[in-house]
Amino acid sequence: MKKIVQIVFICLLLLGTTTTMVAQTTTASDPDLPLKESIYKKYKKEVQAYDKKTFDALFFEFFQKQSDSKLTLSKEEYYNYTIKIAIYSEKLGLLYKDQKEESLKSKKEWFDKTYADYLKSKH
């Protein structure tokens, strides 16, 4: 009986350790994460004060610039747009409790966008 308890304990310990290691590698795999986080901190209060009209203008401007084949945004410009959109998504989740899960998902999608993928789409 003592052996079974020890085996179960060791399995749970290994499972916990493995899960922790996998979680750490996924967050550390984004080389632009420090830039994204600094932009998030810089613009969080500003974007949370946006009204719908201001956000719509930002959103429309981003898609115009993104679809312009003659224009390529710099890394910081690209992340300024995507992170601001992510912050606004987060704001919607705070305002509308019934949409909190959807807004957090949207925030994560915008936060996870990469400049490398954007550059690939331009070529």
Side-chain angles (χ1 to χ4, degrees):
M1 182 68 176
K2 191 175 181 181
K3 287 264 189 203
I4 293 173
V5 173
Q6 287 176 340
I7 292 172
V8 170
F9 177 74
I10 290 171
C11 288
L12 289 174
L13 184 64
L14 288 174
L15 178 66
T17 306
T18 306
T19 305
T20 304
M21 288 189 315
V22 170
Q24 288 176 351
T25 57
T26 52
T27 57
S29 67
D30 186 357
D32 296 330
L33 191 60
L35 175 61
K36 290 178 181 181
E37 289 175 344
S38 69
I39 291 171
Y40 179 84
K41 288 176 186 173
K42 180 178 180 181
Y43 290 109
K44 184 174 181 180
K45 288 183 182 181
E46 176 186 325
V47 174
Q48 286 181 339
Y50 282 5
D51 59 3
K52 180 149 176 47
K53 185 177 179 180
T54 306
F55 173 73
D56 287 345
L58 171 83
F59 198 75
F60 184 68
E61 180 182 340
F62 172 65
F63 277 100
Q64 275 188 319
K65 288 184 176 184
Q66 187 178 16
S67 63
D68 186 351
S69 60
K70 298 175 185 171
L71 175 71
T72 301
L73 297 170
S74 70
K75 184 183 283 192
E76 191 165 332
E77 287 173 322
Y78 177 77
Y79 285 135
N80 278 339
Y81 284 111
T82 59
I83 300 303
K84 284 180 179 180
I85 294 169
I87 295 168
Y88 194 81
S89 296
E90 180 182 44
K91 174 190 173 179
L92 292 177
L94 297 172
L95 291 174
Y96 305 104
K97 300 295 183 192
D98 59 326
Q99 297 178 8
K100 185 174 184 175
E101 208 170 293
E102 290 176 33
S103 66
L104 289 177
K105 183 180 174 186
S106 178
K107 175 191 173 189
K108 183 178 178 349
E109 288 174 7
W110 282 101
F111 208 91
D112 289 346
K113 290 191 179 289
T114 64
Y115 188 67
D117 290 341
Y118 164 70
L119 290 177
K120 287 178 191 173
S121 73
K122 291 302 254 181
H123 291 86

